[in-house]
Amino acid sequence: MNADLMNKVAVVTGATSGMGRVIAADLVRAGAHVVTIARDPARADALRAHLGPQAANRLEVVTGDLSRRSDVVASAKTIADRHDEIHVLVNNAGAHFPEHRVSVDGVEMHIALDHLAAYGLTALLDGPLRRGRARVVNVASDTLNDTRQIKLLGRPRPATLDLTDVDDLAELNPANGFVPFEAYARAKLMTVTAGYALARDLAADGVTVNALHPGIVATGIVDDLVPPVLRPARTLIRRTMLTPADGARTAIRLATDPALAGVTGRYFNRDTESSTPPVSHDRDTQEKLLALSRAHFAERMR
């Protein structure tokens, strides 16, 4: 990393493990004051210990569960009250759920955590992000381009997102016909789709919004995504994957590289700019998704 982040504020979600821990640590060591939202204070303490005494005072922890609408709203308010400007927001938190689960707000958990948390923080921190001319980085997954778990035969099968008759995001990823891998991919597609629209809106104030696929990284999410037929070989499979440090590299680059200043509304597969399904570029779909996402937070944002 060649950026000077001294006196800059960076918000990083999912920072207590995996890639997020690497991203947070690298930003702290580059001089940034890093704010993270953690559900488990003990894991946040472990992150502080990992950073060491010289850097630990540049880590700020806000307690919250990003799958809960009230916690997203409360965390954003706490951060905005403490920081007039935010210069980096890395929406890294995410999870894969092998069974159908619903959040306390009645939304399927992939939608709640893998899309609404990122959207909510970006929208609720609008003022500080604009004042900081921030870089917003959304960690997605290339499952959005191909939802097949075993890709040996046939053509790619992109994630789908049909919002034509949808009045509430709670209607998406229903229990009937639930396929975990496709539900996960759809939520990541939603984050990228919303990000394209947010990038246009925020550009006037110098804020950039980009998304990335970090590669196949050896994390708990990948363990869940391994098809049952391949699970006996999971240990061997992990050895072929990227480390969290490898996976974090693209997110750090998008957040800090001076050569990417002003670059916005893009999707990167590791270090290569790449494409996403046509539906993600459809303006009507983007606007409907933003409207539904705003509505999810509307009561709490009044």
Side-chain angles (χ1 to χ4, degrees), residues 12-15 20 37 66 90-95 113-115 117-118 139 188 221:
V12 181
T13 66
I37 301 165
L66 289 174
V90 182
N91 288 308
N92 167 72
L113 185 58
D114 294 327
H115 166 61
V139 177
K188 292 298 189 181
I221 288 179

Side-chain angles (χ1 to χ4, degrees), residues 65-125:
D65 179 346
L66 289 174
S67 73
R68 304 170 67 102
R69 173 175 54 195
S70 60
D71 282 19
V72 173
V73 173
S75 296
K77 184 179 187 306
T78 297
I79 294 168
D81 287 347
R82 294 175 181 174
H83 302 284
D84 189 59
E85 295 183 1
I86 295 171
H87 306 92
V88 172
L89 168 60
V90 182
N91 288 308
N92 167 72
H96 174 264
F97 301 93
E99 297 178 353
H100 189 268
R101 291 177 55 189
V102 175
S103 75
V104 295
D105 305 302
V107 178
E108 191 274 325
M109 282 292 285
H110 289 104
I111 305 295
L113 185 58
D114 294 327
H115 166 61
L116 282 169
Y119 167 81
L121 287 177
T122 305
L124 293 162
L125 293 173

